[in-house]
Amino acid sequence: MNIQQFRFVRETIRRNFNLTEAARSLYTSQPGVSKAIIEFEDELGIKIFERHGKRIKGLTRPGEAVAEVIDRIMREIDNLKRVSDDFARRDEGTLVIACTHAQARYLLPKVIPEFRRRFPKVHMSLAEGSPPVLAQMVIHEQADVAIATETLALTPGLVALPVYTWEHTVVVTPDHPLADLPANKQLSIETLAQYPIVTYDHAFSGRGSIDEAFAKHGITPDIVLEAIDADVIKTYVDVGLGIGIIAGIAFDPRRDKGLVGLPAGHLFGAHHTKVAVKAGAFLRDYIFELLEMLAPELTRDVVLSALDEKQASGQ
């Protein structure tokens, strides 16, 4: 057996058992991949893949165990390469941050300029998407870290660490009836239900807690538009489509002078934005620096302890 066979098996699984796609991504031929996998199965004495004719349909039960071992082996091989790179070039390389639009727009501008000052030779990329997509990007090593509210802590294979806590804010135009709400009077679910609502898509920024709050009161809200980021929501509130429910971090009275923000944490609860890395992955020095810049309490020792705990739990 050899590393090439491991790569072929892993990529075939990643490409949904499509040998042609696996071969294309590895810059080799489909017959070559097929032959190498069959030879590997013969050497092991087990079938890794279920087949229907010449087509691969999925993993066998022993194949599932083989896939887990191969994933660990390849991860450690990647780690060896990263160790070498880290000691050869401690202050340069690449960094891919997978994040939601809210984090790219409102959190990272407070961090990236200082990171760039410290590590000018590191090439940075932001990859935006929904929390489930971001989690998978880190799992499949297409990104180094992911930052989001939902999903990350629930995804096997990730170590999710707290960055900050936030609550929702209701935004309205200055001429809206809610804009004159007395300071000593809190919003209620019944009050919000009187107006059309613009808020997040189901995959983003605590939308689940919004739905749960209305459902708890037996109310079906009139959600007229769903969007993936707060800037779009604020735009449609501004043109009179409805009231908006957004993450508090996305509302700044100095910047959003055409809108009024009303605290809604008592209605929809507190939420925790987290940063996640892949369990077992080797982290370059500048990634540790990034994590501490995101949240000062995320020191190298704290992060390493969380990684060790995850590895010990076998999750």
Side-chain angles (χ1 to χ4, degrees):
M1 65 185 69
N2 55 61
I3 293 176
Q4 191 78 321
Q5 292 170 324
F6 298 161
R7 287 198 180 98
F8 289 167
V9 170
R10 183 175 68 168
E11 197 63 23
T12 298
I13 297 169
R14 286 182 174 179
R15 301 293 169 174
N16 295 317
F17 310 108
N18 187 316
L19 286 175
T20 301
E21 289 296 322
R24 183 179 294 118
S25 67
L26 293 169
Y27 303 100
T28 187
S29 66
Q30 185 269 339
V33 173
S34 181
K35 181 174 182 293
I37 290 175
I38 291 172
E39 289 176 349
F40 186 36
E41 289 178 321
D42 290 343
E43 187 174 353
L44 291 177
I46 58 174
K47 293 298 181 184
I48 299 173
F49 295 108
E50 294 277 6
R51 292 176 173 82
H52 181 71
K54 294 184 178 181
R55 296 185 62 185
I56 292 177
K57 306 297 288 183
L59 287 167
T60 63
R61 181 165 295 180
E64 292 175 358
V66 170
E68 290 181 6
V69 173
I70 288 176
D71 189 59
R72 288 199 300 270
I73 291 171
M74 297 305 295
R75 185 164 61 243
E76 292 304 322
I77 289 172
D78 290 340
N79 284 343
L80 285 174
K81 294 176 181 176
R82 292 191 182 105
V83 169
S84 174
D85 290 343
D86 193 54
F87 281 92
R89 301 178 299 172
R90 300 181 68 88
D91 63 348
E92 60 181 286
T94 61
L95 173 62
V96 179
I97 302 173
C99 58
T100 62
H101 177 83
Q103 311 310 327
R105 175 70 176 82
Y106 300 105
L107 171 65
L108 290 175
K110 303 173 184 178
V111 174
I112 287 179
E114 174 61 19
F115 183 90
R116 286 287 301 155
R117 188 189 67 79
R118 296 187 195 180
F119 301 99
K121 297 180 181 179
V122 174
H123 177 75
M124 302 182 70
S125 298
L126 299 183
E128 295 183 34
S130 66
V133 170
L134 305 180
Q136 291 306 309
M137 288 184 70
V138 176
I139 289 292
H140 294 303
E141 299 178 2
Q142 297 166 335
D144 298 292
V145 301
I147 307 172
T149 300
E150 302 85 356
T151 302
L152 299 184
L154 304 176
T155 303
L158 292 184
V159 177
L161 304 161
V163 177
Y164 67 92
T165 300
W166 60 272
E167 297 177 345
H168 283 97
T169 293
V170 171
V171 290
V172 299
T173 54
D175 60 351
H176 193 279
L178 291 182
D180 296 324
L181 191 72
N184 62 350
K185 185 176 180 181
Q186 289 186 323
L187 288 171
S188 69
I189 290 294
E190 292 79 6
T191 298
L192 295 183
Q194 297 175 27
Y195 305 100
I197 295 172
V198 183
T199 192
Y200 294 106
D201 178 86
H202 287 276
F204 290 82
S205 297
R207 171 61 190 275
S209 67
I210 295 173
D211 294 340
E212 289 169 9
F214 281 102
K216 185 177 179 180
H217 287 75
I219 296 173
T220 301
D222 180 19
I223 297 178
V224 295
L225 182 68
E226 298 174 327
I228 66 173
D229 69 74
D231 289 338
V232 172
I233 294 171
K234 288 186 288 186
T235 295
Y236 282 93
V237 171
D238 188 51
V239 299
L241 195 64
I243 64 174
I245 304 177
I246 63 174
I249 191 177
F251 180 74
D252 184 342
R254 295 169 299 176
R255 183 181 57 241
D256 300 313
K257 294 180 180 179
L259 297 173
V260 176
L262 305 169
H266 63 289
L267 299 178
F268 307 120
H271 302 271
H272 308 283
T273 289
K274 295 179 180 289
V275 59
V277 296
K278 185 175 181 179
F282 176 78
L283 302 183
R284 302 283 295 271
D285 278 354
Y286 54 73
I287 295 180
F288 284 107
E289 291 267 359
L290 173 71
L291 297 178
E292 192 167 356
M293 292 171 70
L294 288 169
E297 61 272 20
L298 296 183
T299 62
R300 178 185 288 262
D301 288 344
V302 168
V303 174
L304 288 175
S305 177
L307 288 167
D308 289 343
E309 183 178 343
K310 190 76 169 184
Q311 187 170 2
S313 69
Q315 298 179 352

